């Protein structure tokens, strides 16, 4: 075990763990976060996604000791309780079924939109390809991404244009 | 009025506030709602206790545990009115992500005459909600919705009577709305529900032989008087799933808890000869290795330590002398050659053999569907707490009540010392009917005397979860000179022997590994098609076959979302398409003719509604009548459309798929889907739409990607690379869901609400196969339609 310092959602935390521990377990078990979830531990499904310095990252395969930057989890998207446009779009579109994968969908979408505020359908499909959903909410996820993109561009919801 | 924007987040609000929970239990006790006595068998609602007494043999003095069943014959068990004029509904169902919890609130608030926003619902926890069995079979709205409506209506009736007494006005002179009763002749005289009964008990005994028939005196409202039913309030569970605040079953942490990981046999049917504890003893955080029979697990203080220890633990396994199953490549030949363990009496209409002999054309085809897994996004998990000699399991089990019973028997504990706290989890679709992790956590917690969390790995879940059975189906059909279908012969074989039950002890893997066996395994089932076609001569035969290994096998069959439906309908509705093509008929017209060939209907007007749905789907799609296949496109991309239809219980759906087939790669993309859906009275149209979209895409994943592959000793499909799933790139460009009310008397005040979800899974695979045929002229008869298989079929056809 050794001391590792992480910056998560704007706060600094020091934890005493084996440095090879995957980040996911530290976020969940030491910091008590619920956003990132275990789905495969193999980097194949996206359930554990967090954003590190703007990049959607799979925390299940990330060594805690190697993390350099600022970590944002699902909880960190709405620090003061004001939901991010992506989260609002998710509620408007009523995206989740069980919701278990939705951390991965939302965090991947957030990083995608921050990088590319006006993605084409093809860019959405490609950008989201690795975020797996076994309830198959893809159709609504894609609609919500378009809705969020429109909101972020205009600074206000535009339900008419993007609603399916 | 209390603002409920953050309250209805399922049970965590009740459970996390221990005080609330305690007061809830005390509330029930005060109301006499708990039947805590050995003589329970003699009172209504005591049958389950009596059954447990007989099965588990607890002595009278042991049956006073803290978690007895809430008595479903007490109104207080179902409805509580609070001092702030809000209401809580307690129901014994679990919401698996289709929004049934929101729908229950809509139905019950309508009957109670209270604003939807002033209600909340608590679901599926064995000691606070009545035993409605949890979820399964898409019956939540269809079956369980009725007692919920009736008890809410009864609560309203009682409140009106109380107001009548208070005002000295007969009930007919009163009006109830938004939880306020007013006097019609003098609307200034009002009483809120809270003023009438807030935080006090109704103390009303209901009638009913079982939970489904529970009723008071009041009648439910006619459809025309329902206000929230038919509207689409947003699902109350979604905000907390989107902002990360929901506490899921995977999130529960208790003081002193430890983490366990299972170590599975490397090959199916292997025997554990021994293990070397020294291989892990010195690892950090090591707590214990637990072995019992062939069950092996390792427990550590921290989760990552348990993962590491499970990987490192050296164990000595002896492979079985006989191969546990054929390879997945040899599966269908094996199934056709096997002697069935059971065969149904064929369902016979007319004389199919004679009709086939005189037919102008006879068509024959074999269809094959592999084992397909649930492969939930989140592998199995549970946390069990053995504090105070009781057992609490925090679980996402869809059938929490069955798990409570099963675990009590497994651990030899009285049922009322065991409770399951239901919390949200990854989609279940039948997987948690055998809740392996819950049993394992409870067993280990009892062994260690500490709270234990069990989490399966991805590889473990994909390999060892329960599977939908494989099918091999042979079909023969006869057409007369005029292209009329005069004979239909259906013969299905399912590898479904020893199909698992609902959390009975012998269904879960841990107990099988410990050596538990049923004397007579479940016989399993191979289903028949669900359609209303009038075919003068037909035979439907079904057989079940067994694989060599039936216990401790990763090919353990269980209910996978609409069990058997997708397999059977793939074969039957593809074959109807083959017959239509042979007759040179348009696939929609051919089906409508078969449906209209009789005027006989059932009590739910399923024939009339079948005709209405097929027509609605064709219209929504813009179907132009012509036979399949269409003339071959010239480019690289071949396009086509296909229809299929089915019913499940009383719900009827027709689906149309439009596909693009890449001639060079064999990749199939379903560009567009249409579903016409008739489930009677719709509670929440927008939630229904999404459940339909997602249900169709789940079947699309099964159509295009999913197959459990295995060699002759182990499953090889163990992660998302070796077991691919539908992903974002496969998503259709457009999905239309058309809600149909095909009842001959659509405005009738007693229009029933049928189960909506699983029916949509049935016809989708066939619709895709029929569209591939329309596009290419090539008939795909084996699921899944992976690119290499489609490409091979195209090449074989010279395309
Ligand atoms: S849990 Fe990290 S990608 Fe699946
Ligand atoms: S919403 Fe259930 S796995 Fe995606």
């Amino acid at each position: 075990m050794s001391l590792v310092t992480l910056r998560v959602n704007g706060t600094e935390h020091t934890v005493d763990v084996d440095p090879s521990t995957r980040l996911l377990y530290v976020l969940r078990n030491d910091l008590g976060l619920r956003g990132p979830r275990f789905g495969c531990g193999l980097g194949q499904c996206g359930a554990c996604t967090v954003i590190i310095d703007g990049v959607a990252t799979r925390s299940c395969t990330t060594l805690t000791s190697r993390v350099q930057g600022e970590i944002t989890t699902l909880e960190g998207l709405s620090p003061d309780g004001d939901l991010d446009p992506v989260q609002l779009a998710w509620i408007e579109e009523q995206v989740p079924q069980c919701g278990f994968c939705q951390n991965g969908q939302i965090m991947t979408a957030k990083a995608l939109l921050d990088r590319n505020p006006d993605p084409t359908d093809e860019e959405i499909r490609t950008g989201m390809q690795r975020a797996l959903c076994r309830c198959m909410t893809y159709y609504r996820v894609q609609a919500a991404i378009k809705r969020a993109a429109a909101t972020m561009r205009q600074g206000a919801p535009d339900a008419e244009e993007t609603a399916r | 009025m209390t603002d409920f924007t953050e309250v209805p987040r399922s049970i965590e609000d009740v459970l996390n506030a221990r005080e609330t929970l305690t007061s809830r239990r005390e509330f029930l006790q005060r109301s006499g709602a708990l039947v805590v006595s050995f003589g329970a068998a003699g009172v209504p609602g005591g049958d389950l206790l009596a059954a447990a007494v007989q099965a588990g043999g607890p002595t009278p003095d042991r049956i006073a545990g803290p978690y007895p069943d809430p008595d479903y014959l007490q109104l207080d068990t179902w409805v509580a009115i609070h001092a702030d004029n809000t209401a809580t509904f307690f129901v014994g169902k679990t919401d698996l992500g289709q929004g049934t919890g929101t729908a229950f609130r809509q139905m019950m608030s309508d009957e109670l005459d209270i604003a939807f926003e002033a209600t909340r619902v608590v679901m599926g926890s064995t000691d606070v909600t009545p035993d409605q069995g949890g979820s399964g079979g898409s019956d939540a709205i269809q079956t369980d919705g009725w007692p919920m409506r009736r008890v809410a209506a009864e609560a309203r009736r009682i409140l009106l009577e109380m107001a009548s007494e208070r005002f000295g006005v007969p009930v007919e002179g009163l009006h109830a709305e938004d939880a306020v009763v007013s006097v019609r002749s003098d609307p200034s005289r009002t009483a809120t529900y809270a003023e009438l009964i807030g935080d006090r008990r109704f103390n009303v005994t209901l009638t009913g032989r079982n939970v489904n028939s529970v009723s008071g005196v009041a009648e439910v409202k006619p459809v025309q008087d329902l206000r929230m039913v038919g509207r689409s309030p947003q699902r109350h569970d979604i905000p907390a799933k989107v902002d990360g605040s929901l506490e899921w079953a995977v999130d529960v942490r208790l003081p002193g808890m430890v983490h366990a990981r299972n170590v599975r046999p490397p090959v199916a049917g292997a025997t554990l000869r021994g293990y070397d504890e020294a291989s892990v003893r010195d690892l950090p955080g090591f707590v214990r290795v637990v072995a019992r029979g062939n069950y092996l697990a390792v427990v550590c203080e921290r989760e990552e330590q348990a993962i590491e220890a499970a990987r490192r633990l050296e164990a000595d396994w002896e492979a079985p002398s006989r191969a546990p199953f054929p390879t997945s490549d040899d599966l269908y030949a094996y199934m056709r050659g096997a002697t069935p363990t059971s065969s149904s009496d064929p369902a016979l209409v007319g004389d199919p053999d004679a009709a086939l002999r005189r037919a102008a054309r006879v068509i024959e085809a074999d269809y094959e569907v592999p084992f397909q897994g649930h492969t939930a996004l989140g592998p199995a998990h549970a946390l069990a707490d053995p504090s105070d000699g009781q057992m609490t399991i925090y679980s996402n089990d869809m059938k929490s009540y069955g798990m409570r019973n099963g675990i009590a028997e497994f651990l030899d504990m009285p049922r009322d010392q065991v409770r399951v706290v239901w919390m949200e989890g990854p989609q279940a679709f039948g997987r948690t009917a055998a809740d392996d992790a819950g049993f394992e956590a409870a067993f280990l917690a009892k062994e260690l005397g500490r709270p234990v969390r069990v989490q399966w790995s991805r590889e473990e879940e994909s390999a060892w979860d329960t599977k939908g059975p494989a099918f091999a189906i042979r079909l023969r059909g006869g057409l007369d000179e005029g292209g009329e279908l005069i004979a239909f012969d259906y013969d299905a074989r399912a590898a479904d022997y020893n199909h698992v039950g609902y959390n009975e002890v012998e269904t879960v893997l841990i107990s099988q590994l410990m050596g538990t066996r049923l004397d007579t395994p479940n016989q399993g089932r191979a289903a028949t098609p669900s359609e209303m076609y009038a075919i003068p001569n037909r035979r439907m035969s079904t057989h079940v076959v067994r694989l060599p290994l039936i216990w401790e096998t990763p090919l353990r069959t269980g209910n996978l979302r609409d069990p058997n439906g997708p397999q059977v309908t793939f074969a039957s509705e593809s074959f109807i398409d083959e017959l239509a093509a042979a007759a040179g008929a348009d696939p929609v017209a051919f089906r409508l003719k078969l449906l209209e060939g009789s005027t006989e209907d059932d009590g739910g007007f399923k024939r009339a509604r079948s005709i209405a749905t097929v027509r609605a789907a064709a219209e929504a799609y813009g179907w132009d009548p012509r036979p399949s296949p269409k003339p071959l496109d010239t480019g690289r991309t071949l396009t086509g459309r296909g229809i299929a239809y089915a019913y499940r219980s009383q719900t009827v759906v027709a689906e149309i798929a439009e596909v693009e087939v890449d001639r060079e790669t064999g990749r199939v993309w379903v560009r567009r889907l249409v579903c016409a859906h008739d489930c009677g009275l719709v509670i929440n149209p927008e939630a229904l739409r999404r459940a339909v979209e997602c249900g169709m895409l789940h079947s699309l994943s099964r159509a295009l990607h999913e197959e459990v592959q295995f060699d002759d000793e182990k499953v090889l499909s163990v992660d998302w690379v070796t077991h691919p799933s539908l992903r974002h790139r496969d998503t259709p460009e457009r999905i239309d869901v058309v809600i149909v009310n095909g009842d001959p008397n659509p405005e009738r005040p007693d229009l029933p609400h049928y189960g909506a979800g699983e029916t949509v899974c049935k016809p989708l695979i066939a619709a895709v196969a029929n569209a591939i045929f329309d596009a290419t002229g090539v008939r795909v008869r084996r699921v899944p339609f992976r690119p290499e298989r489609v490409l091979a079929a195209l090449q074989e056809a010279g395309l």
Side-chain angles (χ1 to χ4, degrees):
Chain A
M1 309 282 261
S2 60
L3 295 181
V4 181
T5 299
L6 299 168
R7 281 200 316 286
V8 184
N9 299 331
T11 309
E12 211 158 88
H13 300 267
T14 301
V15 291
D16 187 16
V17 295
D18 182 318
S20 72
T21 304
R22 300 302 188 266
L23 178 62
L24 174 65
Y25 303 108
V26 174
L27 295 176
R28 289 188 55 77
N29 298 337
D30 294 283
L31 305 187
L33 292 164
R34 299 171 182 172
R37 273 189 276 280
F38 173 76
C40 68
L42 305 166
Q44 296 174 354
C45 75
C48 62
T49 303
V50 298
I51 296 175
I52 302 182
D53 287 344
V55 180
T57 305
R58 311 214 143 187
S59 65
C60 73
T61 50
T62 303
L63 297 184
T64 304
S65 57
R66 296 268 173 83
V67 180
Q68 298 286 322
E70 166 79 28
I71 301 166
T72 305
T73 71
L74 183 62
E75 291 90 339
L77 292 193
S78 47
D80 312 317
D82 290 338
L83 296 183
D84 187 273
V86 175
Q87 293 170 304
L88 287 170
W90 245 251
I91 293 173
E92 282 300 309
E93 281 291 336
Q94 294 280 288
V95 171
Q97 289 280 293
C98 79
F100 201 84
C101 73
Q102 296 295 334
N103 170 70
Q105 306 293 338
I106 293 170
M107 298 307 278
T108 309
K110 170 74 179 159
L112 171 73
L113 288 174
D114 283 348
R115 205 172 57 239
N116 176 1
D118 191 11
T120 63
D121 286 6
E122 193 47 39
E123 285 166 343
I124 291 175
R125 285 162 179 270
T126 308
M128 297 298 295
Q129 175 67 3
R130 293 178 67 222
L132 181 66
C133 173
R134 287 292 293 161
C135 293
M136 312 293 168
T137 58
Y138 303 122
Y139 187 64
R140 293 290 166 179
V141 168
Q142 293 176 13
I145 292 173
K146 286 186 230 170
R147 183 189 280 265
T151 311
M152 288 155 89
R153 280 198 308 275
Q154 295 162 11
D158 182 356
E160 290 308 303
E161 192 185 299
T162 55
R164 271 172 164 155
Chain B
M1 183 190 300
T2 307
D3 177 4
F4 264 117
T5 48
E6 54 180 64
V7 170
R9 272 184 190 162
S10 103
I11 195 160
E12 68 162 331
D13 299 306
V14 180
L15 292 171
N16 283 354
R18 303 252 161 202
E19 274 187 24
T20 316
L21 181 63
T22 312
S23 57
R24 169 68 184 160
R25 197 171 299 116
E26 277 166 11
F27 179 81
L28 285 176
Q29 269 158 359
R30 273 206 319 273
S31 72
L34 294 181
V35 181
V36 191
S37 78
F38 186 58
V43 305
D47 338 350
L48 286 173
L49 276 177
V53 169
Q54 276 166 6
T59 51
D61 55 321
R62 281 177 68 203
I63 199 156
Y67 311 126
D69 292 1
D71 181 359
Y72 59 73
L73 289 176
Q74 285 296 320
L75 184 54
D76 295 308
T77 297
W78 299 85
V79 181
I81 307 278
H82 307 293
D84 60 359
N85 212 26
T86 64
T88 303
F89 304 127
F90 298 87
V91 302
K93 304 299 288 179
T94 52
D95 186 345
L96 309 181
Q98 283 76 45
T100 50
T102 300
F104 298 147
R105 283 175 61 207
Q106 291 178 253
M107 298 163 90
M108 294 178 81
S109 59
D110 265 349
E111 297 293 349
L112 182 58
D113 271 325
I114 188 170
F116 170 80
E117 295 75 20
T119 64
R120 75 195 98 175
V121 64
V122 173
M123 304 177 71
S125 286
T126 59
D127 64 326
V128 286
T129 53
D131 182 355
Q132 295 185 283
S135 291
S138 295
D139 64 0
I141 303 295
Q142 172 163 332
T143 305
D144 304 271
W146 286 108
M148 293 177 200
R149 286 181 67 185
R150 289 192 297 260
V151 297
E154 181 68 359
R156 174 182 180 276
R157 187 188 71 82
I158 304 287
L159 286 158
L160 280 168
E161 276 192 356
M162 296 171 105
S164 166
E165 202 164 301
R166 171 180 294 210
F167 295 127
V169 173
V171 166
E172 299 72 51
L174 299 173
H175 172 74
E177 189 176 334
D178 278 352
V180 177
V181 183
S182 57
V183 178
R184 284 185 199 276
S185 59
D186 179 5
S188 68
R189 298 174 72 196
T190 61
T192 65
Y193 286 0
E195 284 161 5
L196 293 167
I197 201 167
D199 276 351
R200 281 172 293 124
R201 56 196 163 141
F202 285 98
N203 242 345
V204 167
T205 303
L206 307 163
T207 56
R209 278 194 319 271
N210 55 45
V211 74
N212 289 343
S213 59
V214 163
S215 182
V217 176
E219 294 196 354
V220 298
K221 292 180 176 178
V223 168
Q224 282 70 19
D225 290 355
L226 302 176
R227 297 183 180 176
M228 279 317 287
V229 166
R231 288 168 57 187
S232 298
Q234 294 189 336
R235 274 172 45 193
H236 58 235
D237 56 319
I238 286 183
K241 290 176 173 177
V242 161
D243 67 16
S245 61
L246 180 69
E247 184 176 23
W248 301 66
V250 290
D251 296 323
V252 185
R253 301 286 179 270
L254 296 175
M257 69 181 270
V258 287
H259 295 265
R261 285 293 188 283
N262 299 311
V263 179
R264 295 298 180 209
V267 302
T271 304
L272 180 61
R273 288 290 167 224
Y275 62 88
D276 181 12
E277 194 179 292
S279 59
V280 292
R281 195 185 295 137
D282 297 332
L283 291 177
F286 173 75
V287 175
R288 200 193 292 183
V289 176
V290 179
R292 180 81 60 91
N294 296 324
Y295 177 72
L296 183 61
V298 52
V299 186
C300 292
E301 296 289 346
R302 290 181 56 92
E303 187 165 15
E304 68 274 12
Q305 295 167 339
I307 295 170
E308 181 66 9
R311 212 170 54 78
R312 296 250 207 125
L313 181 65
E314 289 171 15
D316 180 15
W317 297 91
E318 186 180 315
S321 52
R322 181 176 172 210
F325 27 71
T327 68
S328 42
D329 288 342
D330 295 337
L331 177 66
Y332 305 111
Y334 174 92
M335 288 172 65
R336 288 198 190 90
T339 306
T341 48
S342 63
S343 297
S344 66
D345 284 340
L348 206 60
V349 175
D351 186 344
D353 293 320
L356 282 167
R357 277 195 300 275
R358 69 165 191 276
R361 278 194 77 180
V362 173
I363 315 281
E364 291 190 31
D366 284 296
Y367 288 86
E368 295 162 342
V369 185
F371 286 104
Q372 293 182 317
H374 291 79
T375 53
L377 190 90
H381 56 272
L383 170 65
D385 178 6
S387 302
D388 304 327
Q390 322 295 324
M391 188 63 73
T392 298
I393 303 102
Y394 298 88
S395 163
N396 70 318
D397 189 351
M398 61 192 283
K399 294 188 185 296
S400 44
Y401 299 88
M403 180 158 83
R404 185 265 320 266
N405 297 350
I407 287 177
E409 187 185 335
F410 186 53
L411 301 183
D412 194 23
M413 289 177 72
R415 288 170 75 249
D416 54 5
Q417 291 186 12
V418 180
R419 68 169 170 162
V420 175
V421 175
W422 178 77
M423 303 175 81
E424 299 258 7
Q427 87 288 355
F429 303 147
R431 165 67 178 107
T432 53
D435 198 295
D436 298 305
F439 280 71
E440 290 162 352
F443 170 75
L444 293 169
K446 197 174 178 205
E447 285 291 300
L448 275 82
R450 291 173 72 174
V452 178
R453 178 165 192 276
V454 169
Q455 170 70 63
W456 283 28
S457 70
R458 172 79 266 148
E459 297 89 333
E460 192 178 5
E461 183 72 20
S462 295
W464 290 90
D465 74 354
T466 51
K467 308 289 188 284
F471 272 74
I473 299 175
R474 157 148 292 213
L475 282 148
R476 290 192 302 159
L479 298 166
D480 70 9
E481 284 81 12
E484 300 283 326
L485 179 57
I486 56 169
F488 188 88
D489 188 12
Y490 169 95
D491 192 82
R493 289 181 163 227
D496 193 36
Y497 189 68
N498 204 17
H499 188 100
V500 305
Y502 296 128
N503 278 316
E504 287 92 2
V505 171
E506 65 283 343
T507 66
V508 292
L509 196 54
I510 181 173
S511 85
Q512 294 193 9
L513 289 164
M514 288 177 178
T516 311
R517 301 287 185 264
L518 276 177
D519 294 338
T520 313
N522 183 304
Q523 293 302 298
R525 198 165 78 87
T528 53
S530 310
E531 28 76 354
M532 295 297 286
Y533 296 143
I535 303 171
N537 304 286
R538 75 153 102 191
R539 177 169 43 226
M540 312 258 236
S541 314
T542 64
H543 316 274
V544 173
V545 297
R546 64 169 284 177
L547 303 180
L549 185 71
I550 61 165
W551 300 103
E552 305 175 41
T553 174
L555 301 179
R556 183 176 44 141
T557 56
N559 289 343
L560 170 56
R561 205 180 197 180
D562 184 26
N564 301 340
Q567 300 96 312
V568 165
T569 313
F570 162 58
S572 64
E573 278 291 283
S574 291
F575 192 63
I576 288 291
D577 225 62
E578 295 205 44
L579 292 162
D586 170 69
V588 169
F590 191 76
R591 284 174 171 80
L592 284 173
K593 198 168 173 190
L594 290 174
L595 290 170
E596 287 159 353
S598 165
T599 51
E600 262 175 49
D601 212 338
D602 67 354
F605 306 107
K606 216 150 51 193
R607 177 176 307 281
R609 294 162 60 232
S610 294
I611 293 167
T613 20
V614 170
R615 287 216 175 107
E619 188 183 327
Y621 178 76
W623 185 273
D624 62 316
R626 57 165 176 78
S628 285
K630 75 176 222 209
L632 207 60
D633 294 325
T634 48
R636 171 172 170 174
T637 303
L638 307 175
T639 62
R641 89 286 164 92
I643 187 168
Y645 128 87
Y647 67 79
R648 184 179 204 273
S649 182
Q650 283 293 338
T651 296
V652 188
V653 301
E655 293 169 0
I656 294 173
E658 180 177 303
V659 301
E660 286 187 10
V661 182
D662 185 325
R663 210 197 276 247
E664 284 171 31
T665 62
R667 176 173 186 251
V668 175
W669 179 43
V670 173
R671 173 188 274 281
R672 184 176 172 205
L673 283 174
V674 172
C675 178
H677 189 285
D678 183 347
C679 62
L681 181 64
V682 175
I683 311 301
N684 185 321
E686 286 302 315
L688 172 64
R689 242 173 248 289
R690 282 153 183 76
V692 170
E693 290 165 7
C694 295
M696 285 199 290
L697 294 189
H698 185 200
S699 270
L700 181 59
S701 186
R702 296 175 68 174
L704 297 182
H705 298 290
E706 298 183 33
E707 172 171 19
V708 179
Q709 293 180 309
F710 38 92
D711 61 19
D712 67 359
E713 56 179 21
K714 63 184 177 303
V715 168
L716 303 171
S717 308
V718 295
D719 57 23
W720 299 119
V721 173
T722 52
H723 183 272
S725 161
L726 200 81
R727 295 217 179 221
H728 272 280
R729 254 206 296 266
D730 301 308
T731 309
E733 205 169 68
R734 176 172 167 190
I735 303 179
D736 299 294
V737 177
V738 187
I739 296 175
V740 179
N741 179 351
D743 194 285
N745 180 5
E747 300 296 324
R748 65 185 168 116
D750 61 344
L751 189 70
H753 28 78
Y754 300 123
E758 290 174 89
T759 319
V760 299
C761 301
K762 264 189 176 41
L764 197 278
I765 304 178
V768 173
N770 295 342
I772 293 172
F773 176 75
D774 188 53
T776 65
V778 174
R779 181 56 65 180
V780 285
R781 298 194 184 88
R782 181 190 286 192
V783 171
F785 318 137
R786 287 186 180 169
E788 57 280 7
R789 203 174 280 160
V790 173
L791 189 61
L794 295 180
Q795 284 166 349
E796 201 179 309
L799 290 184

